[in-house]
Amino acid sequence: MTNAQGSLDLKPLVSPRSVAVVGMSTKPGSAGLVVLRNLLDAGFQGPVHLVGRSGGEIGERAVLTSIAELPLGVDLAILLLPSDAVLDTVQACVERGVRAAVCFASGFAEMGDAGRDKQQLIADTARAGGMLLLGPNTIGFFNNVDRFHVSMVELELPPRLRPEDGPAVAVVAQSGGIGIHVAASLRARGVPVSYVLTTGNEAQLGLAEILNFLEQDSSTTTVVVYAEQIRSAPHVLAALARLRAAGKRVVLLHPGRSELAQAATRSHTGALAGNHAAMRLAVERAGVLVVDSLEEAIDLGQLMLRFEQPPVGGLGLITASGALCGIALDYLEPLGLEMPAMSLAQAEVLREHLPIYTPPRNPLDLGTLIGPRPDLIGRGVAAEQDDPSIGSLLVSLPMPSSEIAPVWLDAYLDGMQGRSKPAIFVMQNEDIPLPPAMIERAVRSGTVLMRSPERALRALASFTRYGRMRAEWEAAGAGTRVQLPGELPNLASGTLPEWQGKLLLQGAGLPTPAGALATSADEAAAVAERIGYPVAMKAQSAHLAHKTEAGGVLLGIADEASLRQAWQRLHDNICNHDASLVLDGVLVEAMGERGLELVVGAVRDLQWGPVLMVGLGGIWVEALGDVQLLGPDLPLAGIVARLRSLRGAKLLQGFRGAPAVDLDAVAQAVATLGALMLARPEIAEIDINPLVAYGAGRGVVALDALVVVQ
């Protein structure tokens, strides 16, 4: 059941011509009566068939006692049944040619393996019969475009979307409660909402299919998604690519960063926990703005609907409070958003309108001037909007009288006239209701109106991070890629011993210490003579996971006599550790000079692909966890920016007499690792700890390497 574009045709589900409500009861307050009332109150004009074991009548409608009594080819069946009755009912619907079904019942994958198997059987039955299935464990959906609502919850039904409302936001959520909350919050701000689609356990229809439908929907330009698990990464990424190509924007809230959150989502929809970091990198690469809270999901949904182009510059702030300037600067620092100085040109434009005691600058504190001179709000907005270093603007003012508030908003709108940089107008004192005239003016003008300056700051910081990330990826598409050599060594399956891992790194162009594998003391002496003393000796075996703990690493060997003694001592240590262990040999390497130790690694997520990690090595990574996670094809400039974002970045730039490290060489090593993961899909994991970085122009050296091959 596909449309002209090859996607599933969801019209029988979201905009059906006929409906059957299965599991009807005439009992007052029953779920069936709520569903029926929601359908009729929304104005559905098509045939509505009722099916219930007890039969009878509801109003003028007869209640059929069997699905077999339904006419052939009903578009949508709404299933109000316990979980144990769903399979037989789905099979009966298939036999009557029902084209789509919504299943509210819980008791499936969220209950564990047995429930997951039962859910899969229901999905397979529907799919084999060519029937769409939404749920189970969903509360239904709201189609505001056609005003067709399927819900077993008594709510104030949203109005029909009107052409004059303009572009709208669609809300997609695995949780019905979250979906309704986000949509209601947006509507309360006057934001038009096209659909609220709650997918539940996603036995058959999931996020990918819903996104494909919204990509074809002309009323929707922005999508807010709450997903507890993304079940089919390739299909979702493909759907996101189509949305982006169509000029549509997506905001995603995905819990699961913590183990407790993963456990909670499993118990809610039966979603299996995935790699949250890998997911985030992949969907951000596909153009999604990922947020970490419900507030951000709502705020960014509104912001992205109003402003299509995300900012990359700093923040401009106009306020009537010097204290708020300081608060904002403190708030922005950990968010990575700066407040640049106003350009000289814009300062001169603004200076002639300001008294001498109010300097034209960013942040701009107008103080009490906005009372007698509300026009200064608009002049300040125009100056900040026209400043090339400013990418977004926040105007945050105290709540005045109900007569003055719309005047200040009009002054803001005068300054915004013909200007398109993202901007938020905040009317503070959020516990005091706004004048209705002001709300109406804000909605009519498309103003992003908020009540909390902190929420506005966070929203603009997230939008800017997204804009800068988009710019990085565009640069990656236009920039040169790391080119790996044509020939790389074949890799055995399992964990490779260090010497084999280093051969792989060498083949990819990553520097390692001079050295070679020796299988006798004489060979070890020859290697040491060639590379020069002092040397290190490391026992080599794929079955020796912790060489140091087993006494398999000896350092600072100064001459041949010491080397021969070390050879025997190392083998004695290994024998005492595990007498059955057979070594490949001993890796003899030149001792390197001291530098700054970094850790660089990569791991392949089975759903989302490779994720890179770079951070300070040694004790720093263990004690502080000071790392950055990167996509495998991030350009060199983006990698350098991530390195500068480390909490310990001062150590990279030279600290207490130490030289600044060769950041370009570090970035090249990280990019090479990413290219290696993309080129060799059998590699599951690479860990280089430490990667020693030296001063500018002196490069890096991988002192140790762990490679795992699937």
Side-chain angles (χ1 to χ4, degrees):
M1 188 186 300
T2 59
N3 56 25
Q5 289 74 31
S7 301
L8 283 176
D9 182 4
L10 300 192
K11 283 189 176 180
L13 173 72
V14 299
S15 185
R17 296 164 299 180
S18 57
V19 175
V21 183
V22 182
M24 275 307 293
S25 168
T26 59
K27 183 179 179 181
S30 65
L33 290 177
V34 173
V35 168
L36 179 61
R37 184 163 54 250
N38 285 340
L39 286 174
L40 300 179
D41 287 352
F44 181 67
Q45 299 296 314
V48 178
H49 310 282
L50 308 179
V51 181
R53 289 186 304 176
S54 301
E57 292 183 350
I58 296 178
E60 298 180 355
R61 290 180 170 84
V63 180
L64 308 176
T65 58
S66 169
I67 290 174
E69 299 178 55
L70 287 174
L72 291 172
V74 170
D75 268 355
L76 176 64
I78 302 171
L79 309 183
L80 303 166
L81 304 160
S83 59
D84 289 341
V86 171
L87 178 59
D88 290 342
T89 304
V90 167
Q91 182 62 54
C93 287
V94 166
E95 291 170 0
R96 295 302 291 171
V98 175
R99 302 178 69 195
V102 177
C103 180
F104 294 110
S106 57
F108 290 96
E110 73 275 13
M111 302 302 292
D113 290 341
R116 188 172 288 110
D117 292 342
K118 183 166 62 173
Q119 177 176 298
Q120 186 62 51
L121 185 56
I122 292 166
D124 292 343
T125 302
R127 187 176 293 109
M131 186 178 79
L132 302 172
L133 177 64
L134 181 68
N137 197 21
T138 175
I139 68 159
F141 60 86
F142 299 87
N143 171 357
N144 301 330
V145 177
D146 303 306
R147 206 160 192 258
F148 177 78
H149 305 315
V150 175
S151 175
M152 60 188 295
V153 181
E154 293 189 81
L155 295 169
E156 182 179 345
L157 296 176
R160 182 186 295 270
L161 194 68
R162 305 168 301 173
E164 58 266 31
D165 292 329
V169 176
V171 178
V172 184
Q174 287 175 334
S175 162
I178 295 299
I180 290 173
H181 169 71
V182 171
S185 298
L186 288 169
R187 285 200 307 273
R189 299 181 178 192
V191 177
V193 176
S194 55
Y195 296 90
V196 185
L197 299 158
T198 70
T199 58
N201 288 15
E202 298 186 0
Q204 186 203 76
L205 294 178
L207 181 58
E209 291 78 15
I210 300 297
L211 292 177
N212 284 332
F213 165 73
L214 294 172
E215 186 264 318
Q216 298 294 321
D217 179 64
S218 59
S219 62
T220 301
T221 61
T222 303
V223 185
V224 176
V225 177
Y226 173 79
E228 294 180 352
Q229 191 224 7
I230 297 174
R231 289 171 168 81
S232 177
H235 293 97
V236 168
L237 291 175
L240 291 171
R242 285 190 286 270
L243 279 164
R244 184 174 179 181
K248 302 191 178 188
R249 285 83 73 189
V250 179
V251 180
L252 171 67
L253 172 60
H254 189 309
R257 287 174 294 156
S258 68
E259 291 184 10
L260 289 175
Q262 291 177 6
T265 57
R266 278 195 298 271
S267 65
H268 182 212
T269 61
L272 297 175
N275 185 322
H276 190 277
M279 175 283 303
R280 182 168 190 144
L281 288 169
V283 299
E284 285 181 340
R285 182 69 174 88
V288 173
L289 196 165
V290 181
V291 296
D292 296 325
S293 70
L294 276 172
E295 289 183 344
E296 286 181 285
I298 295 163
D299 296 342
L300 270 300
Q302 180 183 14
L303 195 58
M304 292 182 80
L305 179 69
R306 173 66 177 84
F307 297 102
E308 180 177 350
Q309 186 62 37
V312 294
L315 176 76
L317 172 63
I318 299 172
T319 182
S321 168
L324 185 60
C325 296
I327 291 171
L329 287 165
D330 279 347
Y331 197 85
L332 287 175
E333 185 176 4
L335 297 177
L337 182 60
E338 66 285 350
M339 216 182 296
M342 183 177 288
S343 68
L344 293 177
Q346 294 308 316
E348 285 304 312
V349 170
L350 195 54
R351 191 184 308 278
E352 62 180 281
H353 302 287
L354 295 173
I356 192 167
Y357 57 81
T358 302
R361 61 189 179 190
N362 184 36
L364 178 61
D365 174 17
L366 294 175
T368 58
L369 286 171
I370 58 173
R373 293 285 309 279
D375 64 294
L376 292 178
I377 298 171
R379 295 185 187 280
V381 168
E384 300 267 26
Q385 280 272 329
D386 294 342
D387 194 315
S389 66
I390 291 175
S392 61
L393 175 63
L394 169 61
V395 178
S396 187
L397 303 175
M399 179 75 178
S401 68
S402 58
E403 293 79 16
I404 296 297
V407 175
W408 287 359
L409 176 60
D410 284 340
Y412 163 82
L413 291 172
D414 287 343
M416 288 293 294
Q417 189 70 32
R419 297 174 172 89
S420 60
K421 291 179 181 177
I424 298 176
F425 186 87
V426 169
M427 187 94 331
Q428 296 160 200
N429 306 67
E430 57 191 293
D431 293 326
I432 300 175
L434 289 173
M438 184 178 187
I439 297 173
E440 181 183 351
R441 178 77 169 113
V443 171
R444 193 168 64 249
S445 63
T447 299
V448 178
L449 175 63
M450 295 186 187
R451 306 303 309 279
S452 164
E454 290 184 339
R455 281 184 70 163
L457 287 167
R458 186 172 51 178
L460 290 171
S462 293
F463 205 20
T464 304
R465 179 185 60 81
Y466 172 70
R468 291 171 178 175
M469 179 183 64
R470 288 274 299 272
E472 279 183 354
W473 290 123
E474 288 167 6
T480 57
R481 304 276 184 180
V482 170
Q483 297 297 318
L484 296 176
E487 294 294 329
L488 290 171
N490 293 325
L491 303 175
S493 183
T495 300
L496 304 185
E498 180 185 350
W499 70 276
Q500 288 185 349
K502 284 185 171 175
L503 287 179
L504 175 66
L505 298 185
Q506 293 164 13
L510 279 167
T512 64
L517 186 73
T519 57
S520 67
D522 289 340
E523 287 184 7
V527 172
E529 182 67 27
R530 175 170 56 82
I531 64 177
Y533 290 96
V535 299
M537 298 175 63
K538 303 179 184 180
Q540 298 295 297
S541 169
H543 304 291
L544 186 59
H546 303 288
K547 298 186 291 290
T548 302
E549 288 82 344
V553 177
L554 302 177
L555 305 175
I557 300 166
D559 51 38
E560 182 176 345
S562 300
L563 180 143
R564 293 183 180 277
Q565 293 175 358
W567 179 273
Q568 186 59 51
R569 185 165 73 254
L570 183 147
H571 282 80
D572 290 344
N573 291 343
I574 297 299
C575 184
N576 291 333
H577 173 74
D578 183 352
S580 66
L581 188 64
V582 178
L583 298 180
D584 299 352
V586 175
L587 183 60
V588 181
E589 289 183 331
M591 291 287 295
E593 63 180 284
R594 296 178 67 86
L596 181 65
E597 292 189 358
L598 304 173
V599 57
V600 180
V603 64
R604 187 179 307 279
D605 182 79
L606 294 180
Q607 260 199 308
W608 299 105
V611 179
L612 305 189
M613 180 268 291
V614 61
L616 297 174
I619 63 169
W620 295 100
V621 69
E622 296 176 9
L624 300 180
D626 190 10
V627 299
Q628 287 282 316
L629 301 179
L630 322 170
D633 56 349
L634 190 65
L636 294 174
I639 297 172
V640 170
R642 295 293 194 280
L643 289 167
R644 295 189 189 279
S645 297
L646 291 165
R647 294 196 298 274
K650 286 183 179 179
L651 297 175
L652 300 171
Q653 299 159 10
F655 188 68
R656 292 193 173 180
V661 305
D662 192 339
L663 280 182
D664 291 339
V666 176
Q668 182 72 25
V670 175
T672 300
L673 202 62
L676 188 57
M677 293 295 288
L678 291 173
R680 299 299 289 267
E682 70 272 25
I683 299 177
E685 181 181 347
I686 300 177
D687 184 43
I688 302 174
N689 188 14
L691 177 79
V692 178
Y694 299 108
R698 299 185 59 206
V700 297
V701 175
L703 290 192
D704 199 358
L706 171 70
V707 178
V708 181
V709 181
Q710 289 177 339

